[in-house]
Structure formats: C-alpha cells, structure tokens
Amino acid sequence: GYHAWCRHPGVLGYGGFLASAWLLWDAPALRVAAPVWWLTTLAYTAAMDHFLMDRIYPDEYWWYRRKTPFLIPRCGRRIYAG
C-alpha cells in the first residue's frame, strides 16, 4: 500500500489538500492558516514518529524506518510487500 512508499502518506495528502485550497480560494485567513496547519501537523507527526513509534513497535519499526522515507517517496525503487 501507500505506507510502502512513505511512512506518512496522510500528511502528504493533507498538505496537497491545503495547497489546493490555498490556491483555489481567495480567503486571506486561509493564506495564513493553511501553512500553519500543515506545519503543525508535520511537526506532530515527526515527533510521534521519533518518540512514540519505536516504543509501540520496538522490534519492527526500526527496520521500517530504515527502509521507508518519512514523507517524500523515492521514485524508481522496487517495493516489497513482504
């Protein structure tokens, strides 16, 4: 699935949604709020990834984190569903 390409595809999709809303709607408040919302979500996800996931999945997550990028998928590499 998507989690084989990057560890947090939902954050990437949320950023795409906010970028689209930022470009399509002419709302001054959204021009300020959208980047703040996305950066806050990104910071929370990075903290959760760094501090919490190793404690929840101590044996598996280190390998998953080593093989799978945090946010930006690597193009052109083979994905194993293993």
Side-chain angles (χ1 to χ4, degrees):
Y2 295 115
H3 290 279
W5 291 92
C6 69
R7 290 196 307 266
H8 302 285
V11 175
L12 194 58
Y14 184 59
F17 165 74
L18 287 175
S20 299
W22 190 79
L23 291 171
L24 293 174
W25 291 320
D26 188 26
L30 186 62
R31 303 259 181 207
V32 174
V36 171
W37 288 334
W38 191 71
L39 289 174
T40 303
T41 302
L42 185 62
Y44 172 77
T45 305
M48 181 184 68
D49 189 67
H50 184 72
F51 295 110
L52 188 63
M53 297 306 284
D54 281 331
R55 291 181 184 164
I56 295 174
Y57 306 106
D59 297 330
E60 300 93 3
Y61 199 72
W62 70 270
W63 185 84
Y64 177 62
R65 184 168 50 193
R66 192 169 58 97
K67 295 286 184 186
T68 309
F70 176 73
L71 195 61
I72 307 299
R74 290 187 203 116
C75 297
R77 75 178 182 98
R78 181 170 258 188
I79 301 295
Y80 295 100

PDB file of all heavy atoms in Angstrom, residues 16-27 30-31:
ATOM      1  N   GLY A  16      -1.276  18.393   0.306  1.00  0.00           N
ATOM      2  CA  GLY A  16      -1.795  18.632  -1.038  1.00  0.00           C
ATOM      3  C   GLY A  16      -3.172  19.268  -1.015  1.00  0.00           C
ATOM      4  O   GLY A  16      -3.465  20.179  -1.801  1.00  0.00           O
ATOM      5  N   PHE A  17      -4.020  18.803  -0.107  1.00  0.00           N
ATOM      6  CA  PHE A  17      -5.351  19.397   0.037  1.00  0.00           C
ATOM      7  C   PHE A  17      -5.256  20.861   0.461  1.00  0.00           C
ATOM      8  O   PHE A  17      -5.919  21.729  -0.102  1.00  0.00           O
ATOM      9  CB  PHE A  17      -6.180  18.617   1.051  1.00  0.00           C
ATOM     10  CG  PHE A  17      -7.401  19.353   1.502  1.00  0.00           C
ATOM     11  CD1 PHE A  17      -8.489  19.483   0.665  1.00  0.00           C
ATOM     12  CD2 PHE A  17      -7.453  19.936   2.751  1.00  0.00           C
ATOM     13  CE1 PHE A  17      -9.616  20.190   1.066  1.00  0.00           C
ATOM     14  CE2 PHE A  17      -8.565  20.634   3.167  1.00  0.00           C
ATOM     15  CZ  PHE A  17      -9.658  20.755   2.319  1.00  0.00           C
ATOM     16  N   LEU A  18      -4.423  21.136   1.448  1.00  0.00           N
ATOM     17  CA  LEU A  18      -4.287  22.513   1.916  1.00  0.00           C
ATOM     18  C   LEU A  18      -3.668  23.413   0.846  1.00  0.00           C
ATOM     19  O   LEU A  18      -4.067  24.569   0.699  1.00  0.00           O
ATOM     20  CB  LEU A  18      -3.457  22.564   3.198  1.00  0.00           C
ATOM     21  CG  LEU A  18      -4.152  22.047   4.452  1.00  0.00           C
ATOM     22  CD1 LEU A  18      -3.189  22.039   5.623  1.00  0.00           C
ATOM     23  CD2 LEU A  18      -5.382  22.860   4.777  1.00  0.00           C
ATOM     24  N   ALA A  19      -2.729  22.881   0.083  1.00  0.00           N
ATOM     25  CA  ALA A  19      -2.144  23.672  -1.002  1.00  0.00           C
ATOM     26  C   ALA A  19      -3.192  23.981  -2.064  1.00  0.00           C
ATOM     27  O   ALA A  19      -3.241  25.096  -2.594  1.00  0.00           O
ATOM     28  CB  ALA A  19      -0.955  22.929  -1.609  1.00  0.00           C
ATOM     29  N   SER A  20      -4.031  23.003  -2.373  1.00  0.00           N
ATOM     30  CA  SER A  20      -5.102  23.235  -3.353  1.00  0.00           C
ATOM     31  C   SER A  20      -6.095  24.271  -2.843  1.00  0.00           C
ATOM     32  O   SER A  20      -6.509  25.158  -3.585  1.00  0.00           O
ATOM     33  CB  SER A  20      -5.842  21.933  -3.647  1.00  0.00           C
ATOM     34  OG  SER A  20      -4.968  20.995  -4.194  1.00  0.00           O
ATOM     35  N   ALA A  21      -6.487  24.148  -1.590  1.00  0.00           N
ATOM     36  CA  ALA A  21      -7.423  25.121  -1.012  1.00  0.00           C
ATOM     37  C   ALA A  21      -6.790  26.506  -0.983  1.00  0.00           C
ATOM     38  O   ALA A  21      -7.458  27.510  -1.266  1.00  0.00           O
ATOM     39  CB  ALA A  21      -7.817  24.680   0.402  1.00  0.00           C
ATOM     40  N   TRP A  22      -5.509  26.570  -0.678  1.00  0.00           N
ATOM     41  CA  TRP A  22      -4.798  27.838  -0.620  1.00  0.00           C
ATOM     42  C   TRP A  22      -4.786  28.512  -1.984  1.00  0.00           C
ATOM     43  O   TRP A  22      -4.920  29.733  -2.084  1.00  0.00           O
ATOM     44  CB  TRP A  22      -3.378  27.566  -0.138  1.00  0.00           C
ATOM     45  CG  TRP A  22      -2.574  28.760   0.212  1.00  0.00           C
ATOM     46  CD1 TRP A  22      -2.647  29.486   1.360  1.00  0.00           C
ATOM     47  CD2 TRP A  22      -1.552  29.366  -0.575  1.00  0.00           C
ATOM     48  NE1 TRP A  22      -1.730  30.500   1.330  1.00  0.00           N
ATOM     49  CE2 TRP A  22      -1.042  30.453   0.154  1.00  0.00           C
ATOM     50  CE3 TRP A  22      -1.013  29.094  -1.820  1.00  0.00           C
ATOM     51  CZ2 TRP A  22      -0.031  31.260  -0.313  1.00  0.00           C
ATOM     52  CZ3 TRP A  22       0.003  29.901  -2.288  1.00  0.00           C
ATOM     53  CH2 TRP A  22       0.482  30.970  -1.546  1.00  0.00           C
ATOM     54  N   LEU A  23      -4.632  27.715  -3.041  1.00  0.00           N
ATOM     55  CA  LEU A  23      -4.584  28.274  -4.396  1.00  0.00           C
ATOM     56  C   LEU A  23      -5.962  28.599  -4.962  1.00  0.00           C
ATOM     57  O   LEU A  23      -6.111  29.537  -5.738  1.00  0.00           O
ATOM     58  CB  LEU A  23      -3.864  27.306  -5.334  1.00  0.00           C
ATOM     59  CG  LEU A  23      -2.371  27.152  -5.082  1.00  0.00           C
ATOM     60  CD1 LEU A  23      -1.816  26.015  -5.932  1.00  0.00           C
ATOM     61  CD2 LEU A  23      -1.637  28.441  -5.359  1.00  0.00           C
ATOM     62  N   LEU A  24      -6.979  27.805  -4.603  1.00  0.00           N
ATOM     63  CA  LEU A  24      -8.288  27.952  -5.230  1.00  0.00           C
ATOM     64  C   LEU A  24      -9.191  28.980  -4.562  1.00  0.00           C
ATOM     65  O   LEU A  24      -9.994  29.617  -5.237  1.00  0.00           O
ATOM     66  CB  LEU A  24      -9.001  26.602  -5.276  1.00  0.00           C
ATOM     67  CG  LEU A  24      -8.362  25.560  -6.200  1.00  0.00           C
ATOM     68  CD1 LEU A  24      -9.070  24.224  -6.058  1.00  0.00           C
ATOM     69  CD2 LEU A  24      -8.394  26.032  -7.639  1.00  0.00           C
ATOM     70  N   TRP A  25      -9.109  29.097  -3.238  1.00  0.00           N
ATOM     71  CA  TRP A  25      -9.991  30.019  -2.534  1.00  0.00           C
ATOM     72  C   TRP A  25      -9.245  31.296  -2.202  1.00  0.00           C
ATOM     73  O   TRP A  25      -8.135  31.272  -1.688  1.00  0.00           O
ATOM     74  CB  TRP A  25     -10.529  29.394  -1.255  1.00  0.00           C
ATOM     75  CG  TRP A  25     -11.481  28.274  -1.509  1.00  0.00           C
ATOM     76  CD1 TRP A  25     -12.436  28.221  -2.461  1.00  0.00           C
ATOM     77  CD2 TRP A  25     -11.550  27.043  -0.796  1.00  0.00           C
ATOM     78  NE1 TRP A  25     -13.100  27.035  -2.387  1.00  0.00           N
ATOM     79  CE2 TRP A  25     -12.585  26.290  -1.373  1.00  0.00           C
ATOM     80  CE3 TRP A  25     -10.854  26.514   0.270  1.00  0.00           C
ATOM     81  CZ2 TRP A  25     -12.930  25.038  -0.928  1.00  0.00           C
ATOM     82  CZ3 TRP A  25     -11.191  25.257   0.715  1.00  0.00           C
ATOM     83  CH2 TRP A  25     -12.222  24.540   0.123  1.00  0.00           C
ATOM     84  N   ASP A  26      -9.907  32.399  -2.440  1.00  0.00           N
ATOM     85  CA  ASP A  26      -9.301  33.687  -2.153  1.00  0.00           C
ATOM     86  C   ASP A  26      -9.743  34.149  -0.767  1.00  0.00           C
ATOM     87  O   ASP A  26     -10.567  35.047  -0.619  1.00  0.00           O
ATOM     88  CB  ASP A  26      -9.712  34.704  -3.227  1.00  0.00           C
ATOM     89  CG  ASP A  26      -8.944  36.002  -3.082  1.00  0.00           C
ATOM     90  OD1 ASP A  26      -7.829  35.967  -2.534  1.00  0.00           O
ATOM     91  OD2 ASP A  26      -9.473  37.040  -3.511  1.00  0.00           O
ATOM     92  N   ALA A  27      -9.200  33.495   0.232  1.00  0.00           N
ATOM     93  CA  ALA A  27      -9.532  33.825   1.621  1.00  0.00           C
ATOM     94  C   ALA A  27      -8.240  34.213   2.344  1.00  0.00           C
ATOM     95  O   ALA A  27      -7.345  33.379   2.503  1.00  0.00           O
ATOM     96  CB  ALA A  27     -10.184  32.635   2.310  1.00  0.00           C
ATOM     97  N   LEU A  30      -7.180  31.943   5.181  1.00  0.00           N
ATOM     98  CA  LEU A  30      -6.678  30.640   4.754  1.00  0.00           C
ATOM     99  C   LEU A  30      -5.235  30.738   4.279  1.00  0.00           C
ATOM    100  O   LEU A  30      -4.461  29.793   4.445  1.00  0.00           O
ATOM    101  CB  LEU A  30      -7.568  30.076   3.642  1.00  0.00           C
ATOM    102  CG  LEU A  30      -7.256  28.663   3.180  1.00  0.00           C
ATOM    103  CD1 LEU A  30      -7.447  27.683   4.334  1.00  0.00           C
ATOM    104  CD2 LEU A  30      -8.144  28.284   2.021  1.00  0.00           C
ATOM    105  N   ARG A  31      -4.861  31.873   3.715  1.00  0.00           N
ATOM    106  CA  ARG A  31      -3.482  32.064   3.255  1.00  0.00           C
ATOM    107  C   ARG A  31      -2.488  31.993   4.419  1.00  0.00           C
ATOM    108  O   ARG A  31      -1.351  31.602   4.241  1.00  0.00           O
ATOM    109  CB  ARG A  31      -3.330  33.402   2.548  1.00  0.00           C
ATOM    110  CG  ARG A  31      -4.253  33.582   1.401  1.00  0.00           C
ATOM    111  CD  ARG A  31      -3.547  33.342   0.133  1.00  0.00           C
ATOM    112  NE  ARG A  31      -4.484  33.547  -0.971  1.00  0.00           N
ATOM    113  CZ  ARG A  31      -4.362  32.958  -2.116  1.00  0.00           C
ATOM    114  NH1 ARG A  31      -3.370  32.152  -2.305  1.00  0.00           N
ATOM    115  NH2 ARG A  31      -5.228  33.169  -3.070  1.00  0.00           N
TER     116      ARG A  31
END
